[in-house]
Amino acid sequence: MGHCVFLVLVALFSVTSAQFIPPYTEDCRKEMYPPNGPTFRGAVSWYTVDLDSPPSKRWTPLITDKKADLINMIQAIKDLADAFVPSGRLIELVDITLPLMVDTLPSPFNDEIKGIATASGIPLGEVVLFNIFYEVFTVCTSVVAEDDKGNLFHGRNLDFGLFMGWDIKNKSWIISDKLKPLVVNLDFKRNNQTVFKSTNFAGYVGMLTGIKPHTFTLTMNERFSLDGGYIGILEWILGKRDGMWMSFLTRSVLENANSYEEAKTRLAQTKLLAPAYFILGGNQTGQGCIITRSRLLSIDLLEIDLKLGRWYVLETNYDHWEEPLFLDDRRTPAMKCMNQTTQKNITLKTMYDVLSTKPVLNKLTTYTTLMQVSEGKLESYIRDCPNPCMPW
Ligand SMILES: *[C@@H]1O[C@H](CO)[C@@H](O)[C@H](O)[C@H]1NC(C)=O
Ligand SMILES: *[C@@H]1O[C@H](CO)[C@@H](O)[C@H](O)[C@H]1NC(C)=O
Ligand SMILES: *[C@@H]1O[C@H](CO)[C@@H](O)[C@H](O)[C@H]1NC(C)=O
Ligand SMILES: *[C@@H]1O[C@H](CO)[C@@H](O)[C@H](O)[C@H]1NC(C)=O
Ligand SMILES: *[C@@H]1O[C@H](CO)[C@@H](O)[C@H](O)[C@H]1NC(C)=O
């Protein structure tokens, strides 16, 4: 434990001394779209996941393609684990104990994870670790907005890799960097028809970002909270398994819910392993909300309310009724840029501008996704944040 704290302090120090130099904030960006320039690393390629093929086989084409990048990523996680607990004991433990855990996971996730291990040749325990990893370490910005004609737009930056190894030379987060080649867009089909689409990491079976075309859009953000924290995950490992993994719920809702209202009810009422924010957009006026979750229930619902002038809802990683941590205020700059854009001018293009403004865009930002429900559209872009740039 002491070791962890020490490493975090070292990370903080190297970050603050090397990087924490203004200007890491900037005026709201304009004309960033179509994506180009140094903040745009590349387009994201599309893969189909066929829900009619058995869970153990449906990821094989994707994993076959991404195997090298996945092995590279898992090696980085192992190196990190070795830095915390030298001698390889931690990974030994992962290889021995986590395979036992896979059978406790609900179907089809258990078989999908096994299929990914088989297709990649990576030990099962390490694929399980990779799948738990995201449940725990994701920070983000999500926004749902309605324009003056009633069109709904949903955008998000996915920020990942905080405190996981700062590369002093490159001034970048090692894990965040290794993840970028794994970003993919997925088209989940049944009977050769799209059921939902998602931006995801190859090798990960939960969902953090997705759209059910013409019906709803959904993103999940981490909620760091004292009322539960990761106790639920510990309990799961120890055998008390009555909650649901957060990103499994997100996936299940994308797959099975058939309306905004149904999605909202399931996201608000299903017992979870850890707190979370769900950001949900519907397909008609007024349908956009942030569901703030404790493990047990929804503790707050903030909806678009045009009568009150609230034409968008925006969530980072803090309860909307509380001030964000002063060192990590992405909410104020994002809202400032949304306010400057105005309801009349909000489009996917101007939303990309907001999500491209530092520190909404930061060193952890892995991808930006833009969704328009009425068009059934999901597009995503891999991001970089050139220096000077806020480390988180
Ligand atoms: C640092 O960045 C360079 C160029 O982007 C890359 O080739 C190299 O692999 C990076 N180093 C590490 C340790 O990630
Ligand atoms: C699936 O749909 C695509 C595009 O709509 C079509 O080209 C293809 O023939 C279909 N395949 C089957 C097996 O129906
Ligand atoms: C919105 O979703 C509902 C299902 O909840 C569907 O019946 C309706 O046709 C959709 N509206 C549009 C405009 O796509
Ligand atoms: C943005 O506008 C809303 C609504 O008018 C207001 O409550 C909020 O304080 C503004 N935020 C910023 C950062 O300008
Ligand atoms: C909104 O867009 C119009 C037309 O493109 C432009 O003239 C106007 O300045 C924009 N308004 C704001 C607040 O950016």
Side-chain angles (χ1 to χ4, degrees):
M1 199 59 202
H3 206 96
C4 302
V5 173
F6 174 72
L7 271 179
V8 167
L9 285 177
V10 169
L12 257 182
F13 177 75
S14 54
V15 163
T16 46
S17 56
Q19 268 293 297
F20 203 71
I21 303 162
Y24 43 79
T25 59
E26 58 188 354
D27 292 339
C28 299
R29 300 305 306 255
K30 292 211 159 65
E31 306 296 328
M32 298 292 286
Y33 190 98
N36 64 84
T39 67
F40 171 53
R41 178 177 297 190
V44 175
S45 38
W46 280 94
Y47 291 83
T48 296
V49 179
D50 180 4
L51 294 169
D52 291 320
S53 68
S56 62
K57 295 280 191 291
R58 56 176 68 139
W59 294 98
T60 303
L62 168 65
I63 296 304
T64 307
D65 243 37
K66 291 286 180 183
K67 194 170 150 176
D69 294 321
L70 190 55
I71 289 172
N72 202 349
M73 167 74 191
I74 292 197
Q75 188 57 49
I77 298 178
K78 285 198 212 176
D79 291 348
L80 210 69
D82 282 344
F84 278 94
V85 182
S87 84
R89 290 305 297 275
L90 202 57
I91 286 298
E92 214 173 279
L93 208 66
V94 163
D95 285 337
I96 293 168
T97 58
L98 289 189
L100 305 176
M101 192 166 142
V102 79
D103 288 320
T104 70
L105 298 178
S107 175
F109 305 106
N110 47 3
D111 290 333
E112 291 188 7
I113 288 175
K114 286 182 194 167
I116 289 168
T118 306
S120 63
I122 295 169
L124 181 57
E126 294 169 25
V127 179
V128 176
L129 178 70
F130 184 73
N131 272 273
I132 298 177
F133 215 57
Y134 297 104
E135 298 275 341
V136 188
F137 291 111
T138 316
V139 293
C140 309
T141 301
S142 293
V143 56
V144 180
E146 177 170 339
D147 73 5
D148 58 358
K149 300 182 186 64
N151 294 307
L152 285 156
F153 303 99
H154 191 154
R156 82 114 90 243
N157 276 358
L158 189 115
D159 304 347
F160 186 85
L162 186 59
F163 296 140
M164 282 188 257
W166 179 252
D167 182 339
I168 293 174
K169 266 221 247 60
N170 280 14
K171 297 201 172 59
S172 65
W173 295 99
I174 292 163
I175 297 287
S176 184
D177 241 27
K178 300 264 188 236
L179 258 183
K180 291 178 188 180
L182 293 176
V183 178
V184 287
N185 288 330
L186 303 175
D187 186 348
F188 287 81
K189 292 192 166 180
R190 193 174 282 134
N191 297 323
N192 204 25
Q193 302 254 304
T194 296
V195 181
F196 65 103
K197 299 191 274 191
S198 145
T199 308
N200 213 340
F201 301 114
Y204 183 56
V205 300
M207 298 292 132
L208 302 170
T209 305
I211 180 171
K212 188 139 199 172
H214 310 291
T215 312
F216 63 84
T217 53
L218 173 60
T219 57
M220 185 183 94
N221 290 9
E222 203 73 29
R223 178 166 180 251
F224 306 102
S225 154
L226 297 178
D227 74 340
Y230 301 118
I231 292 169
I233 295 177
L234 263 178
E235 283 180 353
W236 183 284
I237 292 168
L238 297 176
K240 182 165 178 285
R241 304 189 177 118
D242 55 349
M244 193 153 177
W245 292 85
M246 294 71 74
S247 67
F248 290 175
L249 174 61
T250 316
R251 162 135 172 222
S252 160
V253 165
L254 281 163
E255 215 167 310
N256 303 312
N258 289 311
S259 68
Y260 171 78
E261 289 301 337
E262 188 186 346
K264 192 162 88 176
T265 303
R266 289 194 55 192
L267 293 167
Q269 295 182 356
T270 308
K271 188 174 176 195
L272 296 175
L273 290 189
Y277 301 102
F278 295 115
I279 302 86
L280 180 67
N283 68 4
Q284 41 199 292
T285 179
Q287 292 186 336
C289 66
I290 300 167
I291 302 166
T292 301
R293 282 293 315 259
S294 72
R295 288 171 60 200
L296 284 182
L297 70 169
S298 164
I299 55 177
D300 186 82
L301 179 72
L302 181 70
E303 285 201 281
I304 288 178
D305 190 334
L306 298 177
K307 280 196 239 61
L308 296 180
R310 189 159 61 226
W311 57 276
Y312 68 87
V313 288
L314 187 145
E315 177 58 52
T316 59
N317 300 93
Y318 302 93
D319 295 344
H320 68 82
W321 60 93
E322 307 262 15
E323 289 296 313
L325 186 68
F326 77 102
L327 267 175
D328 178 32
D329 186 4
R330 287 162 286 127
R331 184 206 295 166
T332 307
M335 288 183 72
K336 188 183 98 188
C337 297
M338 287 298 289
N339 289 359
Q340 273 184 28
T341 303
T342 72
Q343 184 185 10
K344 178 169 167 293
N345 281 4
I346 194 72
T347 57
L348 292 189
K349 177 177 173 300
T350 53
M351 197 174 261
Y352 186 81
D353 289 339
V354 174
L355 294 171
S356 301
T357 301
K358 297 170 192 173
V360 184
L361 180 78
N362 57 67
K363 287 281 181 191
L364 293 168
T365 306
T366 311
Y367 66 76
T368 298
T369 293
L370 305 171
M371 298 180 279
Q372 185 173 356
V373 72
S374 62
E375 307 282 311
K377 186 193 280 179
L378 174 147
E379 51 189 55
S380 55
Y381 304 96
I382 300 178
R383 306 305 304 268
D384 275 332
C385 191
N387 297 318
C389 177
M390 189 75 170
W392 55 78

